[in-house]
């Protein structure tokens, strides 16, 4: 039986982020909501907590998916609401996330994503959780979420759950 650990991601809309990580094998659960860190990042920003099995999918793979499914290079005006971040729950995980992010930043120095310590979480309202899977035909889902899932199908097929 696999042991699941947690890591959190923020970048774009948590509806989009939730659907992306729900599609990956090795991911047991995705909690959609708002995450705060510490210090200058102590305010809540849209994010998800991903419960995953490191025996099936690695932190490096999760980070790569994250960086390629949101605007990880953009310093747009809504970054306070949509912080581009990887939130870690322990120091060993923080070190591994920083190592992975450093590797990806060498390939693309424009990446603005940060590794931050997780501080607290507020879940989204029940009616908007699992948004994509409840509403795949809604205009928002078709315009924003479906293209992200198509990106996964093209570039990360080996990481997708068999449906």
């Amino acid at each position: 039986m696999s042991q699941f650990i947690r890591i959190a991601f923020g970048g774009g809309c948590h509806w989009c982020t939730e659907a992306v990580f729900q599609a990956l094998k090795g991911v047991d659960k995705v909690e959609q909501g708002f995450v705060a860190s510490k210090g200058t990042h102590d305010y809540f920003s849209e994010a998800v907590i991903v419960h995953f099995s490191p025996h099936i999918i690695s932190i490096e793979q999760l980070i790569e998916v994250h960086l390629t499914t949101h605007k990880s290079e953009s310093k747009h005006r809504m970054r306070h609401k949509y912080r581009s971040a990887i939130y870690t729950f322990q120091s060993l995980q923080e070190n591994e996330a920083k190592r992975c992010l450093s590797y990806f930043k060498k390939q693309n120095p424009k990446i603005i994503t940060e590794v931050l310590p997780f501080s607290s979480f507020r879940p989204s309202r029940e009616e908007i959780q699992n948004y994509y899977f409840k509403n795949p035909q809604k205009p928002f889902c078709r315009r924003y979420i479906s293209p992200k899932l198509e990106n996964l199908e093209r570039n990360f097929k080996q990481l997708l759950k068999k449906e």
Side-chain angles (χ1 to χ4, degrees):
M1 186 167 157
S2 294
Q3 177 186 353
F4 293 99
I5 59 175
R6 301 178 300 165
I7 191 166
F9 295 97
C13 169
H14 51 205
W15 296 350
C16 298
T17 310
E18 175 189 55
V20 164
F21 287 105
Q22 285 175 329
L24 301 176
K25 66 182 176 183
V27 172
D28 179 58
K29 179 169 95 173
V30 179
E31 297 178 78
Q32 179 206 114
F34 304 86
V35 171
S37 185
K38 299 174 182 172
T40 59
H41 300 292
D42 65 350
Y43 56 92
F44 284 95
S45 183
E46 291 192 21
V48 297
I49 299 175
V50 177
H51 299 250
F52 71 101
S53 171
H55 303 292
I56 300 171
I57 191 166
S58 68
I59 286 179
E60 184 172 349
Q61 290 169 316
L62 292 170
I63 290 172
E64 183 177 16
V65 165
H66 180 60
L67 294 175
T68 59
T69 55
H70 82 284
K71 295 179 179 175
S72 61
E73 301 171 359
S74 174
K75 294 182 182 181
H76 57 76
R77 63 181 176 82
M78 295 296 288
R79 273 293 169 221
H80 66 284
K81 183 176 179 181
Y82 306 116
R83 182 184 303 127
S84 184
I86 302 159
Y87 301 93
T88 58
F89 287 82
Q90 54 178 285
S91 60
L92 286 175
Q93 187 181 64
E94 177 184 7
N95 292 339
E96 185 173 1
K98 284 181 176 178
R99 181 193 57 75
C100 293
L101 187 59
S102 175
Y103 169 79
F104 291 117
K105 282 185 175 184
K106 285 179 186 168
Q107 295 178 23
N108 182 358
K110 294 180 181 179
I111 293 172
I112 63 163
T113 306
E114 299 177 86
V115 175
L116 301 170
F118 175 89
S119 178
S120 55
F121 177 74
R122 283 191 341 231
S124 298
R125 299 182 323 272
E126 177 64 35
E127 62 268 18
I128 63 169
Q129 292 180 22
N130 294 304
Y131 190 80
Y132 179 78
F133 294 103
K134 291 177 185 174
N135 307 286
Q137 296 305 315
K138 288 215 173 182
F140 181 90
C141 294
R142 293 173 64 128
R143 182 170 182 183
Y144 296 104
I145 302 174
S146 292
K148 292 175 189 285
L149 297 176
E150 290 164 8
N151 172 6
L152 286 179
E153 182 69 31
R154 275 190 316 276
N155 298 305
F156 299 97
K157 191 175 188 109
Q158 76 282 6
L159 299 180
L160 295 179
K161 290 178 179 172
K162 307 278 190 242
E163 300 287 336

